[in-house]
Amino acid sequence: MKKSMVLIALLCMGFAYSQKFELGKVAVKELEEKRHPIDTSAIAAVLYNKFRTYFVYKKKSGFSAVHEFEIRIKIYKKEGLEYANYEVPYRIGYEELNDDMLSFSDAATYNLVDGKIEKTKLNNEGSFVEKVNKKWRIKAITLPNVKEGAVIEFKYTLKSENILTFPTFIFQKNIPVNFAEYKTDTPVYYIYKPVLKGLISIQTTNAITTGYQNVDNSVTMQTDAFSYSQVSSIHAAKDIPALKEENYTDNIENYRSAIDYELERIRMPDVPDKDLSVTWEGVAKTIYSDEDFGPPIKTRNYFEEDLRRILQGLESQEDKMKAIFNFVKNKMNWNDGYGIYADKGVKKAYIDRTGNVAEINFILIAMLNSAAITANPVLVSTIENGIAAFPNITAFNYVIAAAEINGKRYLLDASNKFTEPNILPINTLNWNGRLIKNDGNSESISMVPASPSKINIIVIATIGKDGKITGKARIQKNDYDAFVFRKHYAGMNRDSYLEKLENEYDGIQIKNYVSENEDQLDKPMLETFEFNSDSHTETIGDNLYISPMLFFSMGHNPFTQEERKLPIYFGYPAQKKMQLSFDIPDGYVIASMPKPLSLSTGENVGNFKYNIQALQNKIQITVTFDISEMLVSSAFYPILKEFYKKMIDKQAEKIILKKI
């Protein structure tokens, strides 16, 4: 195909970041560079990254999109060799469209050998295709002869008849990016909405152009042509810093600078506009109409006998819901497969007693509905999958169930052995889910727990004249704290767990350890044990210096960096309450002890209360620590940092006992 473009109008003048890069033109200077000029710690850097989307036309199938991606990467350190591996997903199995076509080209490695550039091309052994599921494949390459100091580059071309959405172009990577550019040329018939996300400033320029495009037809290729206008856009940025992990972060991908294109409207000559703006209701209808979503939820003939047995003698809907939920949870085994569609089918999954998360929770929803309990699927994007920033079918990768009983909603996930109603796997607590119904209606569902999970700790201890502390501890974990404990330590060897616990608690010695309700998931998890410690007191002269929080003190501030770029993620709202009581040894009196303190961050984020009092020969301490928000803006970081500092400083203060 040949195309000549004639400029009609510029909406924005000039492309400030436009630079010329060309595959195969690697410079000696690039190979000689020992470290990145801005980020000297970088293990590698993207020298340039260019992505272009344009359209081609075939008489039989109409317009298709072509996506061309080019990248050049400099390897500085051994750890950067991982960037020699690259993979690209592509779609197959469309209902009405041909499969996507993906091809790599111009893939090569460049090394500097004796002052000369040595080029090693990719061979067939460095390329392979992997099946993800029946709708997706991954094509991957491994560049050859990659060493420290090397420069690698490649191009891939993705041709797709799917023009509803474009592949996401990622500006910001885990290594510095010197220059990144995404250019789109789209026919004016198709009106797209670019969706930018992330923290990096992206410069965008637009233009309208027109010209002639030969139609790809073997008979009339040379003569059958038509003219059309198109919108040309360039999104560009330079000197993009590496996106780096910070502690207390949910998914760093939520904050990576990138751009998506979504088709909003089709505007053909002499034809009314066709609005394709994707709404959540449209997403719900599309997903429900898929043969691997709607029908599996409605299919019920494979479990009817089991359901009658499960419900025998049960009257209330709550009891029926719990019985069905526990039955599915105990019968089915998750195969670690994610997704919102059934893979092998609910009947086969039920017989095999194993399935992906969708199949297991489809079975749960179907059984609940059969028992006259209203239940609907809730689409969820797990933390590692990112957030569903705008309505689209591929935003979600997980399905749970929502049951409605007497105006109360219960969120259920039968794919995990340790869940309970409204207690879900931690990685599903990701902003909002989407409840969808078969009539196309949908609603946003907050994945933030409605109430805080609580840990209650009681310690009764005696301080010996030699400074050794002996006592008993009782730790009760509720809701998500209990879920996390059971998930991590269920089935763990008891001696191994106690060894871990002793190390975690500053080397104390534990005996007579008892745990309760490990298998009774509807009850709090309870641990009791006796302990002795000689590491929480210090003798100086006639005085004993005691760490009143013992092994429950927060030892260091997790927020020490000068500034923070990413929001702070706490997982779920939580409260920890500690009550400690100490018997003072005979012959000692209190010389001094910490003063009470009450701290608040404001805006209902964090609270800390520390109360201490002496009663005869006892010292009693009550400490309450609350984090009421799951996700906190980075703008709040200075306040949170100071809050933690004051809280930790208070916990480090000593009780001083004086010998008389």
Side-chain angles (χ1 to χ4, degrees):
M1 292 185 177
K2 298 179 180 179
K3 181 169 60 175
S4 65
M5 309 306 298
V6 180
L7 184 64
I8 286 188
L10 282 177
L11 300 182
C12 296
M13 297 298 295
F15 300 125
Y17 289 159
S18 182
Q19 299 185 35
K20 185 176 181 180
F21 297 97
E22 189 176 345
L23 290 171
K25 301 294 185 180
V26 174
V28 172
K29 182 180 178 181
E30 293 173 325
L31 291 165
E32 289 178 336
E33 192 172 79
K34 300 299 182 183
R35 61 184 60 87
H36 191 265
I38 298 176
D39 184 354
T40 57
S41 66
I43 61 175
V46 175
L47 302 183
Y48 81 89
N49 186 8
K50 294 170 63 177
F51 194 37
R52 182 189 174 206
T53 293
Y54 62 94
F55 279 60
V56 295
Y57 184 84
K58 292 183 179 181
K59 193 169 185 178
K60 290 184 178 180
S61 57
F63 282 106
S64 296
V66 179
H67 310 284
E68 293 181 345
F69 176 93
E70 295 180 14
I71 193 167
R72 179 179 294 166
I73 300 173
K74 168 70 177 183
I75 309 297
Y76 294 113
K77 301 179 182 180
K78 183 179 179 180
E79 295 83 357
L81 298 179
E82 65 183 78
Y83 287 93
N85 304 301
Y86 203 89
E87 57 184 35
V88 182
Y90 62 99
R91 183 85 183 265
I92 63 170
Y94 291 103
E95 291 184 5
E96 299 178 354
L97 306 176
N98 291 315
D99 292 350
D100 292 349
M101 293 187 294
L102 177 69
S103 62
F104 280 89
S105 62
D106 300 305
T109 302
Y110 299 85
N111 289 287
L112 196 61
V113 180
D114 297 328
K116 296 182 179 180
I117 298 177
E118 178 185 85
K119 179 179 180 180
T120 308
K121 294 182 179 181
L122 177 71
N123 56 35
N124 292 334
E125 294 178 356
S127 177
F128 62 91
V129 176
E130 176 186 350
K131 178 182 178 181
V132 179
N133 53 44
K134 60 185 179 181
K135 295 180 183 291
W136 286 93
R137 297 287 187 271
I138 286 177
K139 193 163 189 176
I141 60 170
T142 298
L143 276 297
N145 197 29
V146 180
K147 308 171 185 177
E148 293 178 60
V151 169
I152 59 176
E153 64 180 18
F154 60 86
K155 174 181 178 179
Y156 74 76
T157 302
L158 175 66
K159 298 179 180 179
S160 178
E161 294 180 8
N162 174 19
I163 62 173
L164 293 176
T165 58
F166 299 165
T168 300
F169 178 65
I170 298 172
F171 285 91
Q172 189 176 30
K173 298 184 180 294
N174 295 343
I175 54 178
V177 177
N178 294 358
F179 176 77
E181 175 187 271
Y182 182 28
K183 182 178 181 181
T184 61
D185 295 311
T186 57
V188 292
Y189 311 131
Y190 303 113
I191 300 172
Y192 287 89
K193 177 178 70 176
V195 180
L196 284 163
K197 69 173 186 176
L199 307 176
I200 300 300
S201 177
I202 308 298
Q203 180 167 331
T204 297
T205 55
N206 302 289
I208 295 180
T209 56
T210 190
Y212 291 94
Q213 175 81 46
N214 289 326
V215 178
D216 185 12
N217 183 285
S218 59
V219 176
T220 60
M221 174 184 271
Q222 300 301 319
T223 58
D224 188 6
F226 69 97
S227 63
Y228 64 92
S229 298
Q230 65 181 16
V231 175
S232 297
S233 299
I234 295 180
H235 311 275
K238 63 179 179 179
D239 297 331
I240 305 170
L243 183 63
K244 297 182 179 180
E245 289 281 357
E246 296 177 324
N247 56 7
Y248 287 82
T249 300
D250 48 351
N251 182 356
I252 198 170
E253 299 304 322
N254 293 338
Y255 314 105
R256 189 182 300 279
S257 291
I259 187 169
D260 288 289
Y261 263 70
E262 175 190 11
L263 182 60
E264 285 193 300
R265 189 173 294 108
I266 298 177
R267 180 173 291 166
M268 292 292 183
D270 304 320
V271 177
D273 286 3
K274 183 177 182 181
D275 189 0
L276 291 178
S277 296
V278 179
T279 64
W280 286 121
E281 285 66 31
V283 168
K285 289 180 180 179
T286 301
I287 290 175
Y288 240 109
S289 65
D290 193 289
E291 62 180 4
D292 294 321
F293 192 95
I297 293 175
K298 299 174 183 177
T299 304
R300 305 179 182 183
N301 57 2
Y302 58 95
F303 57 67
E304 292 174 337
E305 185 176 339
D306 285 335
L307 184 61
R308 283 193 293 269
R309 176 175 53 81
I310 295 165
L311 299 180
Q312 189 172 0
L314 300 179
E315 298 293 335
S316 73
Q317 283 192 309
E318 287 85 353
D319 288 342
K320 291 178 180 179
M321 179 194 71
K322 291 178 181 179
I324 293 171
F325 175 63
N326 287 327
F327 171 80
V328 177
K329 189 169 61 171
N330 292 328
K331 176 183 176 65
M332 301 301 298
N333 296 288
W334 183 40
N335 63 9
D336 295 331
Y338 287 84
I340 63 171
Y341 299 105
D343 188 8
K344 61 182 177 182
V346 288
K347 287 184 178 180
K348 184 166 177 35
Y350 194 82
I351 294 170
D352 294 345
R353 304 174 69 95
T354 182
N356 67 10
V357 66
E359 288 160 341
I360 293 173
N361 285 319
F362 287 167
I363 292 169
L364 173 63
I365 293 168
M367 294 185 79
L368 289 170
N369 284 324
S370 290
I373 298 171
T374 300
N376 290 291
V378 176
L379 305 179
V380 176
S381 178
T382 60
I383 289 173
E384 57 272 17
N385 192 57
I387 59 172
F390 60 93
N392 68 95
I393 295 172
T394 61
F396 302 101
N397 69 327
Y398 205 96
V399 184
I400 61 173
E404 309 279 346
I405 299 177
N406 298 326
K408 185 175 181 180
R409 176 174 289 156
Y410 299 87
L411 300 181
L412 308 166
D413 180 7
S415 70
N416 187 292
K417 300 298 184 184
F418 301 103
T419 58
E420 277 290 289
N422 291 326
I423 302 296
L424 304 169
I426 301 298
N427 68 336
T428 66
L429 306 183
N430 190 30
W431 296 34
N432 296 306
R434 197 82 195 175
L435 184 148
I436 63 174
K437 301 179 181 180
N438 60 3
D439 61 2
N441 289 322
S442 73
E443 63 176 287
S444 179
I445 300 290
S446 174
M447 300 306 294
V448 180
S451 58
S453 296
K454 296 181 179 180
I455 297 179
N456 293 311
I457 299 170
I458 297 175
V459 174
I460 299 175
T462 298
I463 304 169
K465 294 181 180 181
D466 58 357
K468 182 174 288 188
I469 298 178
T470 59
K472 296 181 179 179
R474 181 181 186 272
I475 305 172
Q476 178 178 296
K477 297 181 174 75
N478 299 272
D479 299 333
Y480 279 100
D481 289 304
F483 170 85
V484 170
F485 178 89
R486 290 178 173 119
K487 184 176 185 296
H488 287 172
Y489 302 117
M492 186 175 183
N493 176 273
R494 179 57 54 86
D495 290 337
S496 297
Y497 173 68
L498 291 181
E499 181 180 356
K500 178 185 180 302
L501 199 62
E502 288 177 339
N503 291 331
E504 183 180 317
Y505 287 162
D506 301 335
I508 67 173
Q509 294 179 327
I510 293 175
K511 64 178 182 178
N512 297 328
Y513 173 90
V514 176
S515 64
E516 300 178 40
N517 304 332
E518 285 191 45
D519 299 324
Q520 294 177 281
L521 305 186
D522 58 339
K523 295 182 179 180
M525 181 67 213
L526 187 63
E527 296 178 280
T528 57
F529 56 85
E530 298 175 10
F531 68 90
N532 64 73
S533 169
D534 54 11
S535 61
H536 295 93
T537 59
E538 185 179 8
T539 302
I540 302 177
D542 291 335
N543 294 337
L544 289 177
Y545 291 76
I546 301 152
S547 300
M549 296 288 294
L550 297 177
F551 38 88
F552 295 110
S553 175
M554 183 178 290
H556 67 281
N557 189 345
F559 307 116
T560 57
Q561 62 206 71
E562 287 299 318
E563 60 179 23
R564 185 179 174 105
K565 296 181 179 179
L566 304 181
I568 302 98
Y569 175 74
F570 289 104
Y572 48 87
Q575 180 189 84
K576 180 181 286 187
K577 186 173 184 179
M578 292 167 276
Q579 296 173 282
L580 302 99
S581 177
F582 296 94
D583 285 336
I584 300 172
D586 292 337
Y588 283 82
V589 295
I590 299 171
S592 68
M593 61 183 188
K595 295 180 180 180
L597 177 68
S598 180
L599 294 174
S600 176
T601 63
E603 299 188 28
N604 195 37
V605 174
N607 289 284
F608 175 76
K609 292 183 179 179
Y610 182 105
N611 288 311
I612 185 168
Q613 60 179 340
L615 297 172
Q616 297 178 352
N617 69 329
K618 293 182 181 295
I619 300 173
Q620 295 181 339
I621 304 168
T622 302
V623 179
T624 305
F625 171 50
D626 295 271
I627 290 293
S628 301
E629 295 291 331
M630 189 170 79
L631 193 68
V632 181
S633 166
S634 59
F636 205 76
Y637 175 72
I639 296 173
L640 201 60
K641 178 182 177 181
E642 184 64 18
F643 170 78
Y644 267 78
K645 180 182 182 302
K646 290 180 178 179
M647 178 175 64
I648 291 168
D649 288 347
K650 174 56 64 176
Q651 294 181 40
E653 293 179 358
K654 308 292 186 183
I655 297 171
I656 302 176
L657 301 182
K658 182 178 181 181
K659 189 174 184 179
I660 57 175

